Amino acid sequence: MGKMTVGVAQRAPLPCDNPVERFALNVASTLNRHPEIELLVYPEMHLCGTEHLPEAARPAALEAAAVALESELVDALGSIARSHGIWLCPGSIGETTPDGAFANTQLLFDPAGRLRAAYRKMFPWRPFEPHRPGTEFVVQPLDDETVAAGRSETGEHPTVGLSICYDAWFPEHSRQLAWLGADVVLNIVKTTSPDREQELVLARANAIVNQNFVVSVNCAGPIGRGRSIIVGPEGFVMAEAGIGEETLVVAVDRDHVTDVRTRGTMGTNRIWRQFQPGDAEIPLPAYNGRIDPQNWSPREPRTP
């Protein structure tokens, strides 16, 4: 009832000047090999590759390729999702926001081709990335009303939280997504630097401390460091890719998240049930905030 089959498409970036046709072909070939996939996820900035250009020309090309969310590019991506009847995260794109800023924005389309969620990267990799930071966390239930006929049984499906690359280095980000009801964190990545090994540790750690699934999708070599990974809510690695282009396929189950949080990780640690009636609030000076014991447990995913 609560399961969904996720496909992780570890791919090399596509050139930013004309990515849609090649992307559509890759989606089609991936689903031809793995027709069971219901949610297909690509890496960060997958449609915005500039590696074919001289290094000095890349920043300007990246910004020139940015579009608004109401654009031909976004419409075309929605059409690809609709043509296959799947949930589709094509990675992120450069977005020109309504106020003229340049954002790194993750997209999620439903099987009807509608753009159901857009998330602006909150923690750009500074000083190397030029994007303006986003300020809003985004979670999206993969609800039944848009599940394509015949692809999944009727039932409540997982809720995903959107996350981009360096966001995973800030535990506050993954914790907030979990509190907002995310059963699965979709962390799309474009790691070309030598710290992918550390990111694998963070993927497991974020899954353990929040007791949910973490899907970390990196771009393939030779541009990226690969090693995409899917981690379960107790921190066990369910699938891990190598360096080159590869597709991982794993079923995620929101009932498994509920079970782990109820019985505890390895039958012991129930972190979301830490507080008891009468426990005092805990000040958090770094955030000018606090932990309120009465408001600690995650929200129901479908609560507005």
Side-chain angles (χ1 to χ4, degrees), residues 73-96:
L73 172 63
V74 175
D75 288 345
L77 297 174
S79 295
I80 294 170
R82 181 173 63 253
S83 67
H84 296 286
I86 60 165
W87 287 90
L88 177 65
C89 173
S92 61
I93 62 170
E95 181 201 355
T96 302

Side-chain angles (χ1 to χ4, degrees), residues 7-296:
V8 166
Q10 180 171 287
R11 304 286 187 269
L14 297 177
C16 61
D17 48 2
N18 187 25
V20 173
E21 183 176 351
R22 291 177 62 183
F23 180 66
L25 289 173
N26 189 266
V27 171
S29 64
T30 300
L31 294 173
N32 185 55
R33 293 192 302 271
H34 304 282
E36 71 274 21
I37 290 174
E38 297 169 276
L39 165 63
L40 182 58
V41 188
Y42 284 79
E44 176 187 21
M45 287 292 180
H46 177 63
L47 305 171
C48 305
T50 58
E51 289 76 17
H52 60 295
L53 300 172
E55 189 169 355
R58 292 174 186 176
L62 189 64
E63 191 156 0
V67 298
L69 293 183
E70 295 182 358
S71 64
E72 291 183 6
L73 172 63
V74 175
D75 288 345
L77 297 174
S79 295
I80 294 170
R82 181 173 63 253
S83 67
H84 296 286
I86 60 165
W87 287 90
L88 177 65
C89 173
S92 61
I93 62 170
E95 181 201 355
T96 302
T97 67
D99 63 355
F102 180 36
N104 181 351
T105 303
Q106 183 176 4
L107 306 178
L108 180 65
F109 297 89
D110 70 19
R114 295 176 292 183
L115 180 62
R116 292 292 292 278
Y119 162 69
R120 294 170 183 150
K121 187 174 184 179
M122 196 170 288
F123 295 99
W125 189 41
R126 290 178 167 170
F128 309 104
E129 293 180 359
H131 306 104
R132 179 188 290 181
T135 58
E136 296 183 8
F137 296 94
V138 175
V139 298
Q140 176 62 48
L142 305 181
D143 49 74
D144 293 334
E145 67 172 318
T146 54
V147 173
R151 298 190 66 87
S152 181
E153 295 179 0
T154 301
E156 191 172 2
H157 292 83
T159 291
V160 298
L162 303 188
S163 170
I164 304 178
C165 202
Y166 204 40
D167 290 337
W169 288 73
F170 296 83
E172 301 86 349
H173 191 276
S174 296
R175 172 56 52 88
Q176 186 70 23
L177 292 178
W179 185 83
L180 287 169
D183 306 297
V184 184
V185 173
L186 298 182
N187 179 237
I188 58 172
V189 181
K190 187 177 183 179
T191 294
T192 60
S193 50
D195 54 350
R196 184 58 183 164
E197 188 69 36
Q198 284 70 29
E199 292 180 341
L200 300 179
V201 175
L202 292 172
R204 295 189 68 186
N206 284 326
I208 291 168
V209 299
N210 294 306
Q211 296 178 323
N212 56 10
F213 293 91
V214 171
V215 177
S216 178
V217 188
N218 193 18
C219 62
I223 293 170
R225 297 294 178 120
R227 299 188 69 187
S228 297
I229 192 171
I230 302 174
V231 184
E234 292 180 285
F236 295 115
V237 176
M238 302 173 69
E240 182 177 340
I243 305 300
E245 294 201 342
E246 189 173 342
T247 304
L248 305 177
V249 181
V250 168
V252 299
D253 186 351
R254 76 181 312 268
D255 293 336
H256 184 37
V257 172
T258 301
D259 179 59
V260 170
R261 291 177 176 178
T262 300
R263 63 175 169 80
T265 299
M266 304 306 294
T268 56
N269 303 303
R270 293 181 287 275
I271 56 175
W272 291 111
R273 301 188 178 198
Q274 172 66 20
F275 295 101
Q276 299 178 0
D279 284 349
E281 294 182 348
I282 298 175
L284 299 175
Y287 310 112
N288 193 29
R290 68 191 190 283
I291 293 176
D292 179 355
Q294 303 304 313
N295 198 35
W296 171 250

